[in-house]
Amino acid sequence: YVYICIYVMCMYVYMSPNVCIYIYIYGYHCHYHLFPLTLYNPLLTLSTHRPLFLAMSIKHEGAEAYDNMCQKSKSIWQYIATHYIDDFDYFLMGGDDMFYIIENLMEYLDSDEIRLATKEAKYGIYIGRKFSPPKQSIFNSGGAGYILDKKAVNLLHNNLHTPKCFPHQVGFWEDVNIANCLRVSSEGLILPYDTKDSKGHERFHPFSPGQHLTYGLPTLNPNDWYVKYNPELKLGLECCSEKSVSFHYIGAQLMKQLHAYTYHCPTKPK
């Protein structure tokens, strides 16, 4: 059995309704959720009174802005390494517009495949949706959420402040920065783990279910960035694993609908 901590990337100026819906629907599906904020928000604290949720104020360099996600992410990973590293097996980063199927996530992380991969990884494991930009280094999409084990978090903590990890970088590409820091700090050994299922279907998704289902139909644009980043892209019903873990760009209303479809609708007509 594995223990996982999800930290929910959110900003004070954009507080909910997503966060409130997130707290409501994920109440008892996971072990722990962290809501890191630059400014203390008493309303969020009141809504996270359940022991599974914790809102805290974490300062970072620069402004509280989407275009400064690099600094926000860096401060959060350092905070986690300092305060929570011994409490969980895995740590997942995602935004407050994510929809997770927690049971699929837990089953995947507790599988023999991931247990063995984690055990054998010298510096740690880096799990998510692999993007392969042309002529660039591969990275896991921040939009789809990505996961690190203890070894990888400790590696980040020990290197994020060094020049090779661009400690004062300002930008929204925190996922690219994290991938770079992991790679250059591990002799090139920490790379995105291939998370496709046995049918070659993806588990982690950077868009909503509907967007993935209809993407590229009826005509695929070969010059679209998403096609270029995913050389093994599958379309239509082949887009997504039956054991999918995450979807992105999920507004509050859609989040409630997806939760109802997943947990409250019968799998077969009666």
Side-chain angles (χ1 to χ4, degrees):
Y1 195 71
V2 296
Y3 286 84
I4 184 167
C5 174
I6 296 178
Y7 84 72
V8 183
M9 182 81 81
C10 53
M11 288 186 284
Y12 184 88
V13 293
Y14 296 130
M15 284 310 298
S16 272
N18 265 36
V19 169
C20 294
I21 298 299
Y22 185 103
I23 293 167
Y24 173 75
I25 70 171
Y26 287 114
Y28 299 100
H29 288 295
C30 197
H31 295 116
Y32 214 70
H33 304 254
L34 301 177
F35 294 84
L37 300 166
T38 301
L39 298 173
Y40 176 71
N41 188 323
L43 294 179
L44 181 58
T45 302
L46 288 175
S47 64
T48 59
H49 65 278
R50 300 180 186 181
L52 296 174
F53 298 89
L54 178 65
M56 83 292 290
S57 175
I58 301 177
K59 302 295 183 181
H60 59 70
E61 181 181 321
E64 173 78 345
Y66 174 77
D67 288 336
N68 197 31
M69 295 271 281
C70 289
Q71 292 302 318
K72 189 176 182 73
S73 173
K74 184 185 77 170
S75 67
I76 292 169
W77 282 119
Q78 290 173 326
Y79 186 92
I80 287 173
T82 301
H83 298 283
Y84 292 99
I85 195 65
D86 294 324
D87 298 327
F88 301 95
D89 300 303
Y90 296 97
F91 302 84
L92 188 159
M93 189 290 292
D96 60 6
D97 58 349
M98 300 291 301
F99 180 76
Y100 301 111
I101 303 175
I102 299 296
E103 290 74 13
N104 289 349
L105 170 64
M106 301 298 291
E107 179 182 328
Y108 184 53
L109 293 179
D110 201 29
S111 67
D112 292 339
E113 174 193 348
I114 297 302
R115 282 185 173 274
L116 180 61
T118 301
K119 181 180 178 180
E120 293 183 344
K122 180 179 179 181
Y123 292 103
I125 193 167
Y126 174 39
I127 296 170
R129 173 60 178 269
K130 181 172 66 176
F131 277 174
S132 304
K135 300 179 182 180
Q136 298 180 44
S137 298
I138 60 176
F139 66 97
N140 278 329
S141 164
Y146 61 88
I147 301 168
L148 302 177
D149 69 341
K150 293 181 181 183
K151 287 184 287 187
V153 173
N154 275 324
L155 185 73
L156 273 184
H157 181 56
N158 293 331
N159 290 278
L160 277 170
H161 64 283
T162 64
K164 62 188 175 186
C165 291
F166 305 104
H168 306 293
Q169 179 77 270
V170 175
F172 62 83
W173 47 88
E174 68 85 22
D175 46 6
V176 175
N177 264 22
I178 292 298
N180 170 74
C181 190
L182 289 169
R183 184 178 63 256
V184 301
S185 303
S186 65
E187 302 174 351
L189 294 180
I190 295 188
L191 296 172
Y193 186 82
D194 186 355
T195 57
K196 293 190 290 293
D197 67 14
S198 60
K199 298 179 181 178
H201 299 165
E202 300 284 358
R203 286 184 167 91
F204 294 78
H205 308 289
F207 304 122
S208 70
Q211 288 173 304
H212 283 289
L213 183 64
T214 60
Y215 179 82
L217 301 175
T219 303
L220 183 67
N221 178 7
N223 294 316
D224 186 66
W225 72 268
Y226 187 60
V227 176
K228 293 180 178 180
Y229 279 37
N230 293 271
E232 299 177 0
L233 184 65
K234 295 181 181 293
L235 303 179
L237 292 174
E238 299 291 304
C239 71
C240 309
S241 171
E242 294 180 359
K243 294 291 186 178
S244 286
V245 167
S246 68
F247 292 94
H248 187 212
Y249 295 126
I250 309 299
Q253 187 61 38
L254 181 55
M255 194 176 293
K256 289 190 290 184
Q257 291 172 340
L258 290 176
H259 185 265
Y261 298 154
T262 304
Y263 295 103
H264 300 291
C265 292
T267 57
K268 294 181 180 180
K270 292 184 178 179

